[in-house]
């Protein structure tokens, strides 16, 4: 049995530069490559009305737009530089402010402790909780190798490199929020339907659970 948690509450977006009175609920979604978080995000969007924001997708869209900012991002990536946290965060903040929804899943971010600290500092948002899809390296490796056979980044050497980067950078973020009692860990090695049942226990308010019993 999972522990019963309160339904997500709202927090206010804003900082000294660009304050807005829009109140939002933010949930960070973390998990290694192949942990199935993309599938579960789609389920959460469908059942609970969240908007799914991917930092990587926002960066790619900005590059595609041909804006000055997008050109700068593209050049940094070409040169092998890491895009500064503030750039990614501003894109996330803009997406939140321009969207009509007030509930957001932020997928694959923060990638490291510096991302985390910068996000809270720039936006004034602390996530309601962190949804962490915990999956063994062996299982993630098996999944990645069995899907998308044609993807060139899904070879064993590259996969192991991605795991190493993920573990080294993301674990401090998970540990930080765990110390604050904000991590909701899912056993992502189980079948998709079982994982979503566990996810539902986190997103369904306690009063709804009683009504559904």
């Amino acid at each position: 049995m999972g522990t019963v948690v309160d339904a997500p509450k709202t927090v206010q977006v804003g900082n000294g530069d660009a304050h807005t009175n829009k109140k939002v609920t933010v949930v960070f979604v973390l998990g290694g490559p192949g942990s199935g978080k993309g599938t579960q995000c789609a389920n959460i969007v469908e059942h609970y009305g969240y908007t799914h924001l991917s930092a990587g997708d926002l960066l790619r869209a900005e590059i595609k737009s041909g804006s000055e900012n997008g050109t700068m991002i593209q050049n940094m990536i070409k040169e092998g530089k890491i895009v500064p946290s503030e750039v990614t965060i501003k894109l996330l903040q803009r997406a939140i402010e321009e969207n009509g929804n007030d509930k957001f899943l932020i997928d694959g971010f923060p990638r490291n402790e510096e991302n985390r600290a910068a996000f809270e500092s720039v936006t004034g948002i602390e996530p309601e909780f962190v949804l962490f899809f915990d999956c063994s390296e062996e299982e993630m490796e098996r999944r990645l190798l069995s899907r998308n056979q044609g993807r060139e980044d899904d070879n064993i050497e590259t996969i192991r490199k991605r795991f190493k980067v993920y573990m080294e950078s993301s674990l401090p973020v998970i540990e930080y929020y765990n110390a604050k009692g904000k991590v909701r860990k899912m056993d992502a090695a189980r079948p998709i339907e079982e994982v979503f049942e566990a996810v539902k226990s986190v997103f369904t308010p306690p009063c709804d659970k009683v009504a559904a019993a």
Side-chain angles (χ1 to χ4, degrees):
M1 285 288 290
T3 53
V4 175
V5 296
D6 292 336
K9 296 183 282 290
T10 56
V11 290
Q12 196 161 299
V13 183
N15 60 35
D17 302 318
H19 193 79
T20 172
N21 289 322
K22 182 175 180 179
K23 291 186 174 182
V24 298
T25 299
V26 166
V27 174
F28 286 150
V29 183
L30 296 176
S35 62
K37 61 187 171 64
T39 301
Q40 296 302 333
C41 279
N43 284 336
I44 295 163
V45 167
E46 185 185 339
H47 286 78
Y48 295 101
Y50 277 69
T51 293
H52 178 207
L53 296 179
S54 155
D57 287 351
L58 288 172
L59 286 167
R60 283 186 284 275
E62 189 69 12
I63 291 168
K64 206 172 174 183
S65 75
S67 70
E68 195 178 323
N69 197 33
T71 304
M72 181 266 290
I73 293 166
Q74 188 173 30
N75 289 339
M76 292 195 79
I77 293 170
K78 268 186 193 166
E79 291 166 19
K81 293 178 182 171
I82 293 169
V83 177
S85 294
E86 282 72 15
V87 173
T88 307
I89 291 161
K90 289 290 185 189
L91 291 176
L92 286 166
Q93 188 175 26
R94 187 174 75 193
I96 287 169
E97 290 174 358
E98 291 177 355
N99 193 289
N101 203 352
D102 61 356
K103 302 187 294 186
F104 297 90
L105 299 173
I106 297 184
D107 175 9
F109 185 93
R111 286 184 178 274
N112 53 44
E113 184 61 11
E114 192 265 336
N115 276 177
R116 179 205 65 74
F119 182 85
E120 291 189 13
S121 166
V122 171
T123 66
I125 296 173
E126 197 173 319
E128 182 56 31
F129 56 83
V130 177
L131 197 57
F132 171 41
F133 290 100
D134 189 28
C135 198
S136 71
E137 189 169 326
E138 292 75 24
E139 175 62 17
M140 289 192 284
E141 197 173 283
R142 186 189 66 75
R143 289 177 181 180
L144 289 173
L145 287 171
S146 65
R147 78 177 193 196
N148 298 351
Q149 297 287 349
R151 262 181 65 173
E152 59 187 61
D153 62 343
D154 279 356
N155 64 64
I156 198 78
E157 195 179 315
T158 311
I159 285 169
R160 287 182 178 158
K161 206 176 284 182
R162 285 165 71 198
F163 286 145
K164 188 169 183 290
V165 169
Y166 162 72
M167 293 302 287
E168 287 174 356
S169 58
S170 294
L171 278 182
V173 177
I174 292 159
E175 284 165 5
Y176 172 86
Y177 285 119
N178 199 38
K180 302 185 85 155
K182 283 180 173 277
V183 173
R184 308 288 179 260
K185 187 159 86 167
M186 303 289 130
D187 177 1
R190 293 183 298 169
I192 290 169
E193 296 77 14
E194 286 182 32
V195 176
F196 189 53
E197 283 304 312
V199 168
K200 284 199 282 195
S201 73
V202 171
F203 280 87
T204 306
C207 57
D208 289 1
K209 290 178 188 172
V210 173

